[in-house]
Amino acid sequence: MLPIEKLNNYSATQWRFLSNPQKYVDASQNVQRPLALESTQRQFLTAEDILARLGGCCGQEVRKGVLLADDVGLGKTTVAALVAWVFASAGEKRSVRILVPNDVMVRRWETELKSHVELLQVCATNLEDVDTKRIKSASARRLTAGSIQVVKHSYAGNNLQCDLLIVDEAHRAKGEGTAFSDALKSQSKKAKRVLILTATPFSINLAELNRMLTLVGAGHAHAAVKSFSLALDKIYRAPPSRPVDAAAQDLINKATKAIDAVQKQVVRHSIDDLPAEKASLGICEEWKLADTHASADELELLLRMDRLLRIAKGAGMDTTGATNDARFHVGWQHFDETLSALIEPIRSLSEPNKSLMESHLQRIKKLRRMVGPHSKILAVAEAVVSTVSQGEKLVIFCHHIATAQELTLCLAELVPALSPATKLDASVWNAAWQQVFENLDAAQANPKLRDTFVAWLCSDMIRAQTQSWFKSIPSTGSALLKALNEQHARHHPKETIANAARDLFQELLKSKSGKGVLREAEKFPELMPGAVGRKSAGRVLGVCEPKGNAALFMRNNQPDTVIQVFGSPFGPDVLVVTDKLSEGIDLHNYCRHLIHYELDASPIRTVQRNGRIRRVQSWAAVTGKKIRYAYPAFGGTRDQRLVEIMKKRVATFSLLLGGVSDFSDLDTDLISSVDEEWRSSVVQQAQRQLKREGVKLVARRPG
């Protein structure tokens, strides 16, 4: 291994501000959501530890890199942003390059970096020239001293020369084939130091994980990591062949050796090990929805479709996908589309297949008319209606686009419209809102965009929504202005309706795409979520390819505006999304309810989804209420089996360093309940010891 190049003029005095988190928290009190002391203390301590390890300070040996593997929602981005600013602004200013998966996360990172500028200027007097101008555009090929650049993973094939390379969401390498990993292996040698971020170290493909360990100088740990990974794989993949005690002890022994091998280069905190922070993160509970069991007609539909597709394949028809497609168990849209595609080909078949398939076809058509909407959707809709009627926002995750489309359309019909705003017409509201924005610098600098935003605030649904937060309905313009300035959005304990609107407007202006949407919304108001639509169209929004009523959907290639609006008290109450939004975004500001309507086969994905609303200063923490996760199942079908397995595996996630196997290549119908109980028993028995071993990886104060 090449010798590690030392960093000149690098010492702990340059990041002395990290030893005083209270000052940083106090300086944040004038922002929308002040920092929480407990979380800030841990994040500052982690940043201190990483900086000392990277530079060989405070008695630490110098290291090539560090892998930060904190649980989802603990603020890895914040820690890494602090490290980046120290590298860029302390002593000999150093260059930082940050690799992230996509454009959405590029913008999120830039926002995170900018959010620290004012606080660092006040609290970090040992840092020099902390300024947003140091954040360079993605087009910059060469970095000057003291500059920070955020680019996508695809940039990894270019010259990565820099003083610090930060790789975010590193587990994405598994889904990108070998190109990203090979590029990192080749180009990262040009970076003096490497910081890798991932919440799921032992759920990454073993070869990918060992590559990352090599990047941070932990190649010596490969054997121990491989041994632990194989032990995990044996538990989750092979049928049980050992007593629970023996299997648990084997897992403990190999996990201990893996932890000992990586602890110099790996830092990890588990949410469950941070009792002091649970209040700022929000306490979680499972949200049990009404039981939904497939009716006899629905089960017959599934069985007949399975039989129809099997006959079609046997007859040589060109059919794609599984005969027992998971999408058939959670909605009817894909089922109907598949059925429709079979009608013409069946007519060209020879006997006896033609008659046999037509018999199934006619029976399926009759059953579909009898069944109506999918019963799982109806059961979920009941919970959604109840939740939004209490003034809560809610996010629903689907795995397939067709499911998200169908669910969005059904919910839009079933969620009741808000009572229309009364007494004062839109012109009076417009005048009041204009006064709210009268002295805002951003509004004065962008008068056209301000007018477009105010027009959105005065649209029927947003007015009705805002009125629902008033203690009494204002009858004059002056009373309305007073209510906007004094009453609280969604009954937030601190934030007024007017301040929430101003904050949202400024957030939209910070985003290039958000600003673009405002610009286009002058001519096309429907581009703003919740602006137009009949019935309850404004209350439900699907973020996927449009289907049917386009006003109910927004494409997910530029979701910034949706994320920003949903992160405010205004706009849609229900967001239906796919896994495109399961990582790297914040949905927690005004939402504490999440429904896993449709599951991916990977527990990692489920954990990532949950992290969208369990974050520092979540809505649950602000209101003192619980975060609620729902796992509805379609009883009597493979969907129920998938949910049962997933819940057990997610429950054992964090204490195995993210080491939970997915089952994407397994048939859930073949996973025995007895075998799964054995796996759960093994892991639960190992957890007690693994929890103690995991403490070796937490951040410690240098020296």
Short mmCIF file of all heavy atoms in Angstrom, two decimals, residues 58-104:
data_model
loop_
_atom_site.label_atom_id
_atom_site.label_comp_id
_atom_site.label_asym_id
_atom_site.label_seq_id
_atom_site.Cartn_x
_atom_site.Cartn_y
_atom_site.Cartn_z
N CYS A 58 -4.15 14.50 17.67
CA CYS A 58 -4.64 14.13 19.02
C CYS A 58 -4.35 12.67 19.35
O CYS A 58 -5.20 11.96 19.90
CB CYS A 58 -6.13 14.40 19.13
SG CYS A 58 -6.62 16.06 18.66
N GLY A 59 -3.16 12.21 19.00
CA GLY A 59 -2.77 10.85 19.33
C GLY A 59 -3.26 9.79 18.37
O GLY A 59 -2.97 8.61 18.55
N GLN A 60 -4.03 10.19 17.34
CA GLN A 60 -4.52 9.24 16.35
C GLN A 60 -3.44 8.99 15.29
O GLN A 60 -2.68 9.89 14.94
CB GLN A 60 -5.77 9.79 15.65
CG GLN A 60 -6.97 9.96 16.56
CD GLN A 60 -7.77 8.68 16.70
OE1 GLN A 60 -7.39 7.63 16.21
NE2 GLN A 60 -8.89 8.78 17.38
N GLU A 61 -3.37 7.76 14.79
CA GLU A 61 -2.50 7.49 13.65
C GLU A 61 -3.18 7.99 12.39
O GLU A 61 -4.41 7.97 12.28
CB GLU A 61 -2.20 6.00 13.54
CG GLU A 61 -3.44 5.13 13.28
CD GLU A 61 -3.13 3.66 13.24
OE1 GLU A 61 -2.89 3.08 14.32
OE2 GLU A 61 -3.12 3.09 12.13
N VAL A 62 -2.40 8.48 11.46
CA VAL A 62 -2.96 9.04 10.24
C VAL A 62 -3.61 7.93 9.41
O VAL A 62 -3.09 6.82 9.32
CB VAL A 62 -1.88 9.79 9.42
CG1 VAL A 62 -0.80 8.84 8.95
CG2 VAL A 62 -2.52 10.51 8.24
N ARG A 63 -4.78 8.24 8.84
CA ARG A 63 -5.50 7.25 8.04
C ARG A 63 -5.83 7.81 6.66
O ARG A 63 -6.02 9.01 6.50
CB ARG A 63 -6.81 6.85 8.74
CG ARG A 63 -6.61 6.13 10.07
CD ARG A 63 -7.94 5.98 10.79
NE ARG A 63 -7.83 5.22 12.02
CZ ARG A 63 -7.45 5.71 13.19
NH1 ARG A 63 -7.11 6.99 13.29
NH2 ARG A 63 -7.39 4.95 14.26
N LYS A 64 -5.93 6.92 5.70
CA LYS A 64 -6.32 7.32 4.35
C LYS A 64 -7.77 7.76 4.31
O LYS A 64 -8.15 8.69 3.61
CB LYS A 64 -6.12 6.14 3.39
CG LYS A 64 -6.72 6.31 1.99
CD LYS A 64 -6.00 7.35 1.18
CE LYS A 64 -6.56 7.41 -0.25
NZ LYS A 64 -5.86 8.39 -1.09
N GLY A 65 -8.62 7.07 5.08
CA GLY A 65 -10.03 7.42 5.02
C GLY A 65 -10.83 6.85 6.17
O GLY A 65 -10.33 6.12 7.02
N VAL A 66 -12.12 7.20 6.16
CA VAL A 66 -13.06 6.76 7.19
C VAL A 66 -14.38 6.42 6.50
O VAL A 66 -14.78 7.09 5.54
CB VAL A 66 -13.31 7.86 8.24
CG1 VAL A 66 -14.42 7.46 9.21
CG2 VAL A 66 -12.03 8.17 9.01
N LEU A 67 -15.04 5.38 6.99
CA LEU A 67 -16.38 5.03 6.52
C LEU A 67 -17.35 5.40 7.64
O LEU A 67 -17.29 4.84 8.73
CB LEU A 67 -16.46 3.54 6.19
CG LEU A 67 -17.70 3.05 5.42
CD1 LEU A 67 -17.40 1.74 4.70
CD2 LEU A 67 -18.91 2.86 6.32
N LEU A 68 -18.22 6.36 7.38
CA LEU A 68 -19.24 6.78 8.35
C LEU A 68 -20.52 6.01 8.05
O LEU A 68 -21.12 6.19 6.98
CB LEU A 68 -19.48 8.29 8.26
CG LEU A 68 -20.57 8.86 9.18
CD1 LEU A 68 -20.30 8.54 10.64
CD2 LEU A 68 -20.71 10.36 8.97
N ALA A 69 -20.94 5.18 8.99
CA ALA A 69 -22.04 4.24 8.75
C ALA A 69 -23.20 4.44 9.71
O ALA A 69 -23.88 3.48 10.09
CB ALA A 69 -21.52 2.80 8.82
N ASP A 70 -23.46 5.68 10.12
CA ASP A 70 -24.58 5.95 11.03
C ASP A 70 -25.91 5.51 10.42
O ASP A 70 -26.09 5.54 9.20
CB ASP A 70 -24.66 7.44 11.34
CG ASP A 70 -23.59 7.88 12.33
OD1 ASP A 70 -22.86 7.01 12.83
OD2 ASP A 70 -23.48 9.09 12.58
N ASP A 71 -26.85 5.16 11.30
CA ASP A 71 -28.20 4.81 10.86
C ASP A 71 -28.82 5.94 10.05
O ASP A 71 -28.46 7.12 10.19
CB ASP A 71 -29.10 4.55 12.08
CG ASP A 71 -29.07 3.09 12.51
OD1 ASP A 71 -28.48 2.26 11.79
OD2 ASP A 71 -29.63 2.78 13.57
N VAL A 72 -29.79 5.58 9.23
CA VAL A 72 -30.56 6.56 8.45
C VAL A 72 -31.20 7.57 9.40
O VAL A 72 -31.78 7.21 10.42
CB VAL A 72 -31.66 5.85 7.63
CG1 VAL A 72 -32.53 6.87 6.91
CG2 VAL A 72 -31.04 4.88 6.64
N GLY A 73 -31.09 8.85 9.06
CA GLY A 73 -31.76 9.90 9.82
C GLY A 73 -30.93 10.56 10.89
O GLY A 73 -31.38 11.50 11.53
N LEU A 74 -29.67 10.09 11.09
CA LEU A 74 -28.84 10.65 12.15
C LEU A 74 -27.98 11.83 11.69
O LEU A 74 -27.26 12.42 12.48
CB LEU A 74 -27.94 9.56 12.75
CG LEU A 74 -28.66 8.51 13.58
CD1 LEU A 74 -27.67 7.52 14.18
CD2 LEU A 74 -29.51 9.13 14.67
N GLY A 75 -28.04 12.17 10.41
CA GLY A 75 -27.36 13.38 9.95
C GLY A 75 -25.95 13.16 9.45
O GLY A 75 -25.05 13.96 9.74
N LYS A 76 -25.72 12.09 8.67
CA LYS A 76 -24.39 11.87 8.09
C LYS A 76 -24.00 13.03 7.17
O LYS A 76 -22.83 13.42 7.11
CB LYS A 76 -24.38 10.55 7.29
CG LYS A 76 -24.51 9.31 8.15
CD LYS A 76 -24.36 8.04 7.34
CE LYS A 76 -25.50 7.83 6.37
NZ LYS A 76 -26.79 7.64 7.05
N THR A 77 -24.99 13.58 6.46
CA THR A 77 -24.71 14.70 5.57
C THR A 77 -24.21 15.91 6.37
O THR A 77 -23.27 16.60 5.96
CB THR A 77 -25.97 15.09 4.78
OG1 THR A 77 -26.46 13.94 4.09
CG2 THR A 77 -25.66 16.18 3.77
N THR A 78 -24.82 16.16 7.51
CA THR A 78 -24.39 17.27 8.36
C THR A 78 -22.96 17.08 8.84
O THR A 78 -22.14 18.00 8.79
CB THR A 78 -25.33 17.41 9.57
OG1 THR A 78 -26.65 17.71 9.11
CG2 THR A 78 -24.87 18.51 10.51
N VAL A 79 -22.65 15.88 9.31
CA VAL A 79 -21.29 15.59 9.77
C VAL A 79 -20.28 15.80 8.64
O VAL A 79 -19.25 16.47 8.82
CB VAL A 79 -21.20 14.14 10.30
CG1 VAL A 79 -19.75 13.77 10.61
CG2 VAL A 79 -22.06 13.96 11.54
N ALA A 80 -20.59 15.23 7.48
CA ALA A 80 -19.66 15.33 6.35
C ALA A 80 -19.53 16.77 5.86
O ALA A 80 -18.45 17.20 5.44
CB ALA A 80 -20.13 14.43 5.21
N ALA A 81 -20.62 17.55 5.93
CA ALA A 81 -20.56 18.95 5.52
C ALA A 81 -19.63 19.74 6.45
O ALA A 81 -18.86 20.60 6.00
CB ALA A 81 -21.96 19.56 5.52
N LEU A 82 -19.69 19.46 7.74
CA LEU A 82 -18.79 20.12 8.69
C LEU A 82 -17.34 19.76 8.40
O LEU A 82 -16.45 20.62 8.41
CB LEU A 82 -19.16 19.72 10.12
CG LEU A 82 -20.49 20.26 10.66
CD1 LEU A 82 -20.88 19.54 11.95
CD2 LEU A 82 -20.41 21.77 10.89
N VAL A 83 -17.09 18.49 8.13
CA VAL A 83 -15.74 18.05 7.79
C VAL A 83 -15.26 18.76 6.52
O VAL A 83 -14.12 19.21 6.42
CB VAL A 83 -15.70 16.52 7.61
CG1 VAL A 83 -14.34 16.07 7.05
CG2 VAL A 83 -15.97 15.82 8.94
N ALA A 84 -16.16 18.86 5.53
CA ALA A 84 -15.81 19.52 4.27
C ALA A 84 -15.43 20.98 4.49
O ALA A 84 -14.44 21.47 3.93
CB ALA A 84 -16.97 19.41 3.29
N TRP A 85 -16.20 21.70 5.32
CA TRP A 85 -15.91 23.11 5.56
C TRP A 85 -14.58 23.29 6.29
O TRP A 85 -13.83 24.25 6.02
CB TRP A 85 -17.04 23.76 6.34
CG TRP A 85 -18.16 24.24 5.46
CD1 TRP A 85 -19.46 23.83 5.49
CD2 TRP A 85 -18.09 25.24 4.43
NE1 TRP A 85 -20.20 24.50 4.53
CE2 TRP A 85 -19.38 25.37 3.87
CE3 TRP A 85 -17.05 26.01 3.93
CZ2 TRP A 85 -19.66 26.25 2.83
CZ3 TRP A 85 -17.32 26.89 2.87
CH2 TRP A 85 -18.60 27.00 2.35
N VAL A 86 -14.27 22.39 7.21
CA VAL A 86 -12.97 22.48 7.90
C VAL A 86 -11.84 22.28 6.90
O VAL A 86 -10.85 23.03 6.89
CB VAL A 86 -12.89 21.46 9.05
CG1 VAL A 86 -11.46 21.40 9.61
CG2 VAL A 86 -13.86 21.83 10.16
N PHE A 87 -11.96 21.27 6.05
CA PHE A 87 -10.92 21.03 5.04
C PHE A 87 -10.76 22.24 4.13
O PHE A 87 -9.65 22.62 3.77
CB PHE A 87 -11.28 19.79 4.22
CG PHE A 87 -10.53 18.56 4.64
CD1 PHE A 87 -10.83 17.93 5.82
CD2 PHE A 87 -9.53 18.03 3.85
CE1 PHE A 87 -10.15 16.79 6.23
CE2 PHE A 87 -8.83 16.90 4.24
CZ PHE A 87 -9.14 16.27 5.44
N ALA A 88 -11.88 22.85 3.75
CA ALA A 88 -11.83 23.94 2.78
C ALA A 88 -11.38 25.27 3.38
O ALA A 88 -10.87 26.13 2.65
CB ALA A 88 -13.20 24.12 2.13
N SER A 89 -11.53 25.44 4.70
CA SER A 89 -11.34 26.77 5.28
C SER A 89 -10.30 26.86 6.39
O SER A 89 -10.06 27.94 6.91
CB SER A 89 -12.68 27.27 5.84
OG SER A 89 -13.69 27.24 4.86
N ALA A 90 -9.69 25.75 6.76
CA ALA A 90 -8.74 25.77 7.87
C ALA A 90 -7.30 25.75 7.36
O ALA A 90 -6.97 24.95 6.47
CB ALA A 90 -8.98 24.58 8.79
N GLY A 91 -6.44 26.59 7.93
CA GLY A 91 -5.02 26.56 7.63
C GLY A 91 -4.74 26.64 6.15
O GLY A 91 -5.15 27.58 5.47
N GLU A 92 -4.01 25.62 5.64
CA GLU A 92 -3.82 25.51 4.19
C GLU A 92 -5.14 25.06 3.58
O GLU A 92 -5.53 23.90 3.71
CB GLU A 92 -2.73 24.49 3.87
CG GLU A 92 -1.33 24.97 4.18
CD GLU A 92 -0.29 23.98 3.67
OE1 GLU A 92 -0.69 22.98 3.05
OE2 GLU A 92 0.89 24.21 3.89
N LYS A 93 -5.83 25.95 2.95
CA LYS A 93 -7.16 25.61 2.41
C LYS A 93 -7.04 24.43 1.45
O LYS A 93 -6.20 24.41 0.57
CB LYS A 93 -7.78 26.83 1.73
CG LYS A 93 -8.00 28.00 2.69
CD LYS A 93 -8.61 29.18 1.98
CE LYS A 93 -8.87 30.32 2.95
NZ LYS A 93 -7.61 30.85 3.52
N ARG A 94 -7.96 23.49 1.61
CA ARG A 94 -7.90 22.26 0.83
C ARG A 94 -9.16 22.08 -0.01
O ARG A 94 -10.22 22.57 0.34
CB ARG A 94 -7.70 21.06 1.77
CG ARG A 94 -6.40 21.16 2.58
CD ARG A 94 -6.30 20.07 3.64
NE ARG A 94 -5.03 20.17 4.34
CZ ARG A 94 -4.81 20.93 5.40
NH1 ARG A 94 -5.80 21.66 5.92
NH2 ARG A 94 -3.62 20.98 5.96
N SER A 95 -9.05 21.34 -1.07
CA SER A 95 -10.17 21.12 -1.99
C SER A 95 -10.95 19.88 -1.58
O SER A 95 -10.39 18.90 -1.10
CB SER A 95 -9.67 20.96 -3.42
OG SER A 95 -8.76 19.88 -3.53
N VAL A 96 -12.27 19.95 -1.78
CA VAL A 96 -13.17 18.85 -1.41
C VAL A 96 -14.07 18.54 -2.60
O VAL A 96 -14.67 19.45 -3.19
CB VAL A 96 -14.04 19.22 -0.19
CG1 VAL A 96 -14.96 18.07 0.18
CG2 VAL A 96 -13.18 19.64 1.00
N ARG A 97 -14.18 17.27 -2.92
CA ARG A 97 -15.10 16.86 -3.99
C ARG A 97 -16.06 15.83 -3.40
O ARG A 97 -15.63 14.88 -2.74
CB ARG A 97 -14.33 16.27 -5.18
CG ARG A 97 -15.20 15.96 -6.37
CD ARG A 97 -14.35 15.61 -7.60
NE ARG A 97 -14.01 16.78 -8.38
CZ ARG A 97 -12.78 17.13 -8.74
NH1 ARG A 97 -11.76 16.41 -8.33
NH2 ARG A 97 -12.57 18.20 -9.48
N ILE A 98 -17.36 16.03 -3.63
CA ILE A 98 -18.40 15.17 -3.04
C ILE A 98 -19.16 14.47 -4.16
O ILE A 98 -19.69 15.13 -5.08
CB ILE A 98 -19.36 16.02 -2.19
CG1 ILE A 98 -18.59 16.79 -1.11
CG2 ILE A 98 -20.43 15.14 -1.55
CD1 ILE A 98 -19.41 17.85 -0.39
N LEU A 99 -19.23 13.14 -4.11
CA LEU A 99 -19.96 12.35 -5.10
C LEU A 99 -21.29 11.88 -4.51
O LEU A 99 -21.31 11.26 -3.45
CB LEU A 99 -19.13 11.12 -5.51
CG LEU A 99 -17.75 11.36 -6.14
CD1 LEU A 99 -17.09 10.04 -6.49
CD2 LEU A 99 -17.87 12.23 -7.39
N VAL A 100 -22.38 12.18 -5.22
CA VAL A 100 -23.72 11.80 -4.76
C VAL A 100 -24.47 11.13 -5.91
O VAL A 100 -24.10 11.28 -7.07
CB VAL A 100 -24.50 13.03 -4.24
CG1 VAL A 100 -23.72 13.71 -3.12
CG2 VAL A 100 -24.78 14.02 -5.35
N PRO A 101 -25.55 10.39 -5.62
CA PRO A 101 -26.18 9.57 -6.66
C PRO A 101 -26.88 10.33 -7.79
O PRO A 101 -26.87 9.88 -8.93
CB PRO A 101 -27.20 8.73 -5.88
CG PRO A 101 -26.73 8.74 -4.49
CD PRO A 101 -26.08 10.06 -4.29
N ASN A 102 -27.54 11.47 -7.51
CA ASN A 102 -28.40 12.07 -8.53
C ASN A 102 -28.50 13.59 -8.35
O ASN A 102 -27.96 14.15 -7.40
CB ASN A 102 -29.79 11.43 -8.49
CG ASN A 102 -30.38 11.43 -7.08
OD1 ASN A 102 -30.35 12.44 -6.37
ND2 ASN A 102 -30.90 10.29 -6.65
N ASP A 103 -29.22 14.22 -9.27
CA ASP A 103 -29.35 15.68 -9.25
C ASP A 103 -30.06 16.18 -8.00
O ASP A 103 -29.73 17.25 -7.47
CB ASP A 103 -30.11 16.15 -10.49
CG ASP A 103 -29.29 16.03 -11.76
OD1 ASP A 103 -28.08 16.29 -11.70
OD2 ASP A 103 -29.86 15.65 -12.81
N VAL A 104 -31.08 15.44 -7.54
CA VAL A 104 -31.80 15.85 -6.34
C VAL A 104 -30.85 15.95 -5.16
O VAL A 104 -30.87 16.92 -4.39
CB VAL A 104 -32.95 14.87 -6.03
CG1 VAL A 104 -33.59 15.20 -4.69
CG2 VAL A 104 -34.00 14.91 -7.13
#
